Amino acid sequence: MIPPLVLVLAGHDPSGGAGIQADIETIHSLGGHALTAITALTLQDSRGVYAFQSVSADWLRRQADILLADFQPAAVKIGMIAEASLVPVIVDIVRQLPDVPVVYDPVLAGNLHGSLIHPGFCEALPPLLQCTTLLTPNVPELQILLKDQPLTSLFAQGIRYLLCKGGHQPGALIVNELFDRNGCLYQQTTPRLAAEFHGSGCTLAAACAIHLAQGQPMPVAVANALQFTTACLNSAFTPGHGQKFPRRS
Ligand code: PLP
């Protein structure tokens, strides 16, 4: 049987903890195959983000064009974009895939306290939000995206589902909540692990994408993705001198 294909548009983290490598590992671990177009290179290890460099809009478009001429993805996962000029290219790419679920993890800052966007990036986002099936921000990212507007404003801009990740909130329990425009559809409460992780958000969003590619309904896909991510974090390893990496296989 051919594994379901997930088109991933994301940045490269050379440490392998986060970014496109996290997406590939997750998608393959859960029975899919990742097609990848890189949006940005980063300089980072398990301790910090030191710099990043976007690919050109032309190179992103050419990577995707070549893939889409040959393959039919069953889901799209978008991670770090960084540069406003790449947003219209990504919108063009996903518009070529009508009815294919689009998971967008709005990577604005890495867990390692470094910004992963250029100034003006958020202003370019509305056309992409219009094409987003599932948006997966953490609470600080959600606050940046909402700009004091209510949660409903994101649905008014076109997203269909919102998975709000509670890991940055204080407390012994982490609450992750899935919403549609009518309210909360699913909630996972999980004990906070006594460690810092690199790549947990990428793992979760990629797991959502492969489960959607497998045809799972949204609440089931999200519940299964949260369960997979929790298991990866419970068996995380420390390959360097900084954050732990989820064990995805
Ligand atoms: N994508 C890239 C390329 C990154 O470098 C990072 C973090 O540094 C992320 C995504 C987000 O990582 P996390 O899953 O830890 O939020």
Side-chain angles (χ1 to χ4, degrees):
M1 200 185 90
I2 299 166
L5 306 180
V6 178
L7 174 63
V8 181
L9 309 170
H12 179 248
D13 165 9
S15 80
I20 212 148
Q21 185 170 330
D23 298 332
I24 297 168
E25 287 176 9
T26 301
I27 289 162
H28 285 231
S29 217
L30 290 171
H33 175 79
L35 308 165
T36 55
I38 291 189
T39 55
L41 302 178
T42 69
L43 294 181
Q44 61 184 310
D45 56 22
S46 64
R47 293 185 283 209
V49 177
Y50 309 110
F52 62 91
Q53 166 78 60
S54 298
V55 302
S56 69
D58 182 50
W59 264 80
L60 180 59
R61 190 184 298 278
R62 288 169 65 191
Q63 291 179 76
D65 282 351
I66 286 170
L67 291 173
L68 295 186
D70 195 12
F71 306 100
Q72 176 60 49
V76 179
K77 191 257 158 167
I78 303 167
M80 173 185 179
I81 304 177
E83 177 73 63
S85 64
L86 299 186
V87 173
V89 177
I90 293 179
V91 170
D92 282 351
I93 295 166
V94 296
R95 285 204 179 128
Q96 290 174 55
L97 300 165
D99 303 325
V100 170
V102 175
V103 179
Y104 175 34
D105 181 20
V107 178
L108 304 181
N111 270 344
L112 292 162
H113 318 295
S115 173
L116 287 172
I117 53 171
H118 288 296
F121 172 72
C122 290
E123 286 66 43
L125 274 183
L128 180 57
L129 296 180
Q130 214 180 355
C131 314
T132 297
T133 315
L134 173 66
L135 186 70
T136 65
N138 55 38
V139 172
E141 288 163 344
L142 185 59
Q143 283 163 347
I144 294 171
L145 294 171
L146 284 175
K147 295 185 217 107
D148 294 329
Q149 299 294 305
L151 210 55
T152 48
S153 65
L154 287 172
F155 294 99
Q157 287 186 74
I159 71 161
R160 304 244 337 263
Y161 297 90
L162 174 80
L163 173 57
C164 177
K165 301 175 290 190
H168 289 69
Q169 299 300 90
L173 295 176
I174 295 178
V175 182
N176 298 302
E177 289 178 294
L178 174 69
F179 297 89
D180 71 3
R181 60 170 56 245
N182 297 314
C184 185
L185 293 176
Y186 175 76
Q187 192 180 76
Q188 183 221 41
T189 304
T190 178
R192 182 181 300 281
L193 300 172
E196 291 217 354
F197 298 98
H198 187 53
S200 54
C202 305
T203 305
L204 176 59
C208 291
I210 175 60
H211 286 319
L212 291 171
Q214 288 161 337
Q216 297 182 13
M218 185 61 76
V220 177
V222 167
N224 284 335
L226 284 165
Q227 196 179 26
F228 174 78
T229 305
T230 303
C232 295
L233 297 181
N234 276 321
S235 58
F237 58 103
T238 310
H241 298 88
Q243 292 183 321
K244 286 180 173 256
F245 290 7
R247 195 183 300 271
R248 290 174 279 253
S249 56

